[in-house]
Amino acid sequence: MSDESVRWIQEEMDRLREAGLLANIRAIESPMDGRVIIDGREVLNFCANNYLGLANHPRLREAAKQAIDDYGIGPGAVRTIAGTMTLHLELERRLAQFKKAAACITFQSGFMANLATIPALVGRGDVIFSDELNHASIIDGSRLSRAKIVRYNHADADDLQRKIQETTDYRRALIVTDGVFSMDGDMAPLDKICEVAEEHGIILMVDDAHGEGVVGQGGRGIVDHFGLHGRVQVEVGTLSKAFGVVGGLVAGDRTIVEWLRQRGRPFLFSSAMTVPDVAACIEAVSVLEESTDLVDRLWSNARVLKQGLQEMGFDTGHSQTPIVPVMLGEAPLAQEFSRRLFDEGVFAMAIGYPTVPMGKARIRVMNTAAHSEQDLEEALAAFERVGKMLSVIGK
Ligand SMILES: *Cc1c(COP(=O)(O)O)cnc(C)c1O
């Protein structure tokens, strides 16, 4: 019997369960890779953000082990007290160099990077111009800042321009957008947004969590992709997706990076990234600097999968990245599709309302460099079987 005080929570949970909205959390019994073991069974994994297969890369594993021997595990403090090890500074230096940015600061996660950055840049009396589809961590960081939030139409620089012109009576402003949008795999028109930002003298912040290690030359990110070095003041990235570890970063304007060391609250009040995480991330930078092989394989895998699905007659939306949505319409169909794929040995997530709009439910296929040609062939065959079974594509 639940305590009376938590009864309302139990009731909410029951409602979610009845509506089929309760998150089904699967446990992975193996390393994160192109194939994983779930419920004792090996399945092809098309759910992870492990774009480059670095989560189980031998060099990252080795670097983490070596660092543990040299430095132990925990940092023991927040960055400003005793939690900054030479390793943290080395990672920041290496990331800045890799991304051709003036400076870089790391955080415990991408989510933390947004919570640190937005309230450090704007506050009460200020305004944030925010893409309507921005990530939850941008929304939460914006709310924490107490600035007024003005949403502009998704990926629409003209609407951003209009919203800025219509908004008066504010002190400072910030424009913030996701770089790659995680549900459709489309990209912000950062070149156009940058022009608008410069015209109005507003700080531009892009959260490139799904572009870090994926877009730009050799995975250098969205600022590199558009050749906007030195013109985007804040480029947030994550070390938790393509980098295969966990952590967050802000690269860009040196003054802002130094300001975040003084005023970023998760930097000041939450302990630093752990030693093995930092060491593995440094090694990831080395891997990416030495060769573009992994990034190239990621993109060619994504091309093969997307083309294969399209040729079978699936609608793959308007993705510009290795995130491939397979549009199915209603949520129950997407759920059923995902269940049957799993029976066929393919782990690919169904995504429905409220994560995506009503009637836009889909299977989201996350491609990675960890998949072999054989893996892709097997996955395509499974999609074809299930697609025909559920009459999504013709016989
Ligand atoms: C995943 C994601 C984050 C969170 O990154 P973590 O490192 O997992 O905390 C932040 N912003 C965007 C746009 C994301 O897609």
Side-chain angles (χ1 to χ4, degrees):
M1 261 311 273
S2 286
D3 184 79
E4 198 57 27
S5 61
V6 300
R7 182 192 292 270
W8 70 270
I9 301 174
Q10 199 54 55
E11 287 168 2
E12 283 294 316
M13 296 272 282
D14 291 344
R15 255 193 293 282
L16 289 179
R17 192 173 297 109
E18 278 157 31
L21 295 174
L22 210 56
N24 172 24
I25 301 176
R26 291 194 191 270
I28 310 292
E29 298 151 19
S30 63
M32 179 49 57
D33 225 320
R35 290 173 184 259
V36 291
I37 296 174
I38 299 174
D39 298 335
R41 219 175 110 223
E42 189 182 79
V43 289
L44 281 165
N45 177 20
F46 285 94
C47 289
N49 304 317
N50 178 31
Y51 289 107
L52 301 175
L54 291 174
N56 189 34
H57 193 287
R59 280 179 58 182
L60 273 68
R61 289 170 66 127
E62 207 42 56
K65 287 183 202 168
Q66 185 61 51
I68 288 172
D69 287 345
D70 295 342
Y71 293 89
I73 314 279
V78 304
R79 290 286 304 273
T80 45
I81 295 181
T84 296
M85 292 174 158
T86 50
L87 277 181
H88 292 96
L89 299 177
E90 185 185 341
L91 175 59
E92 287 165 347
R93 210 164 38 238
R94 293 289 305 279
L95 282 168
Q97 207 169 28
F98 172 65
K99 294 175 66 59
K100 303 177 189 162
C104 177
I105 177 173
T106 56
F107 296 92
Q108 304 86 341
S109 71
F111 203 114
M112 288 291 203
N114 282 328
L115 293 194
T117 305
I118 300 172
L121 296 179
V122 283
R124 229 188 272 282
D126 298 337
V127 61
I128 299 167
F129 298 100
S130 182
D131 186 292
E132 63 180 342
L133 294 188
N134 275 342
H135 188 261
S137 56
I138 293 179
I139 295 168
D140 287 6
S142 300
R143 286 177 181 156
L144 270 179
S145 77
R146 297 189 167 91
K148 179 177 167 192
I149 300 164
V150 175
R151 294 172 10 136
Y152 63 88
N153 294 341
H154 174 53
D156 187 344
D158 295 331
D159 191 53
L160 169 64
Q161 174 76 280
R162 265 191 304 278
K163 293 281 159 53
I164 293 172
Q165 283 162 351
E166 283 166 16
T167 308
T168 51
D169 202 25
Y170 60 84
R171 190 179 55 152
R172 285 192 275 268
L174 175 69
I175 297 168
V176 59
T177 179
D178 275 25
V180 172
F181 290 84
S182 61
M183 292 304 143
D184 290 296
D186 58 328
M187 287 171 80
L190 200 64
D191 47 350
K192 298 201 185 87
I193 291 174
C194 185
E195 281 172 22
V196 175
E198 286 175 345
E199 183 188 329
H200 296 277
I202 297 176
I203 293 177
L204 173 56
M205 168 170 171
V206 61
D207 176 357
D208 196 33
H210 280 277
E212 196 73 70
V214 173
V215 304
Q217 202 268 325
R220 283 167 174 75
I222 194 167
V223 168
D224 187 82
H225 172 87
F226 283 103
L228 296 172
H229 303 281
R231 293 174 59 192
V232 177
Q233 289 81 8
V234 179
E235 185 182 23
V236 171
T238 180
L239 303 167
S240 327
K241 289 178 175 144
F243 271 69
V245 190
V246 71
L249 67 102
V250 168
D253 182 85
R254 184 180 301 281
T255 308
I256 290 180
V257 166
E258 291 315 315
W259 177 240
L260 292 175
R261 291 187 199 281
Q262 305 301 320
R263 286 292 180 271
R265 289 170 70 83
F267 188 87
L268 300 171
F269 298 109
S270 181
S271 292
M273 284 174 75
T274 70
V275 167
D277 286 339
V278 176
C281 287
I282 292 171
E283 193 63 21
V285 177
S286 297
V287 169
L288 289 179
E289 277 180 344
E290 283 164 31
S291 157
T292 63
D293 282 357
L294 291 176
V295 178
D296 296 344
R297 184 160 355 130
L298 165 66
W299 283 89
S300 76
N301 279 357
R303 235 179 343 264
V304 167
L305 207 107
K306 200 184 291 186
Q307 255 167 28
L309 289 168
Q310 285 169 353
E311 280 163 16
M312 288 172 195
F314 287 106
D315 172 5
T316 59
H318 49 271
S319 167
Q320 300 164 265
T321 63
I323 299 170
V324 179
V326 176
M327 307 304 290
L328 293 170
E330 297 312 314
L333 174 61
Q335 298 280 357
E336 179 66 15
F337 204 107
S338 174
R339 259 195 303 278
R340 298 220 182 181
L341 277 177
F342 195 77
D343 293 341
E344 300 273 339
V346 175
F347 181 32
M349 198 62 90
I351 295 181
Y353 181 80
T355 310
V356 294
M358 286 279 192
K360 297 254 185 196
R362 66 200 64 187
I363 300 286
R364 189 176 63 148
V365 181
M366 303 299 287
N367 286 284
T368 80
H371 296 117
S372 65
E373 266 174 56
Q374 163 92 23
D375 292 341
L376 298 182
E377 277 168 28
E378 279 181 34
L380 283 169
F383 265 93
E384 186 163 34
R385 281 194 298 276
V386 175
K388 286 179 177 168
M389 218 181 314
L390 297 178
S391 302
V392 173
I393 54 173
K395 295 251 179 249

